[in-house]
Amino acid sequence: PEEIYQAILTCMNEDFYFNQLVNNAVMGKLMQKKNVRKYYGGNIPINFNEKELKILQLLGEDKTTEEISKIIFLSPRTIETIRQNMKSKVGAKTIGGLVMYVMRNKMIE
């Protein structure tokens, strides 16, 4: 009951709740991708679609999730999902890491 209570409070305040089982599954998948990338072409260029590139450009301009969602007409939650997917594509841990990857590879100005 305590965990359910915490999940409800967390979802009310932060939108997401992950328990230890979910965290372990996500981390396992990320580690697997990292190992695959390390052994099978970590230098393969990542291709982002037009929407992802627009989001990256706006992140580089220091826009918040809410600001980005209003500019490109998607919900904040969709923006968050796209950002998480982009971080996974490049193996970044943070949004800063994602932006640095994109700038180093001259994907945005």
Side-chain angles (χ1 to χ4, degrees), residues 9-101:
L9 287 178
T10 301
C11 290
M12 285 174 44
N13 296 323
E14 300 173 25
D15 293 330
F16 299 103
Y17 176 79
F18 298 107
N19 65 15
Q20 193 59 42
L21 288 172
V22 174
N23 287 340
N24 290 342
V26 170
M27 290 305 295
K29 187 71 170 175
L30 290 174
M31 293 305 293
Q32 180 184 10
K33 283 185 179 182
K34 184 177 179 181
N35 288 336
V36 168
R37 191 171 286 130
K38 181 169 65 172
Y39 294 110
Y40 299 105
N43 294 328
I44 296 171
I46 304 297
N47 293 319
F48 292 112
N49 64 39
E50 192 173 320
K51 189 181 302 178
E52 290 171 328
L53 288 172
K54 181 64 177 174
I55 291 171
L56 288 167
Q57 182 72 42
L58 294 168
L59 286 171
E61 295 172 10
D62 200 29
K63 300 287 186 195
T64 66
T65 299
E66 288 76 22
E67 291 171 326
I68 294 170
S69 72
K70 289 176 184 174
I71 292 169
I72 62 174
F73 307 107
L74 292 173
S75 74
R77 195 155 187 151
T78 301
I79 300 298
E80 289 292 329
T81 301
I82 293 170
R83 286 173 29 170
Q84 292 298 339
N85 290 339
M86 289 188 295
K87 286 188 335 189
S88 293
K89 280 184 183 181
V90 302
K93 296 177 188 173
T94 64
I95 294 301
L98 174 63
V99 172
M100 289 301 296
Y101 174 90

Side-chain angles (χ1 to χ4, degrees), residues 56 60 97-109:
L56 288 167
L98 174 63
V99 172
M100 289 301 296
Y101 174 90
V102 170
M103 294 184 80
R104 282 186 189 136
N105 290 288
K106 298 178 180 21
M107 297 174 136
I108 61 172
E109 297 177 6

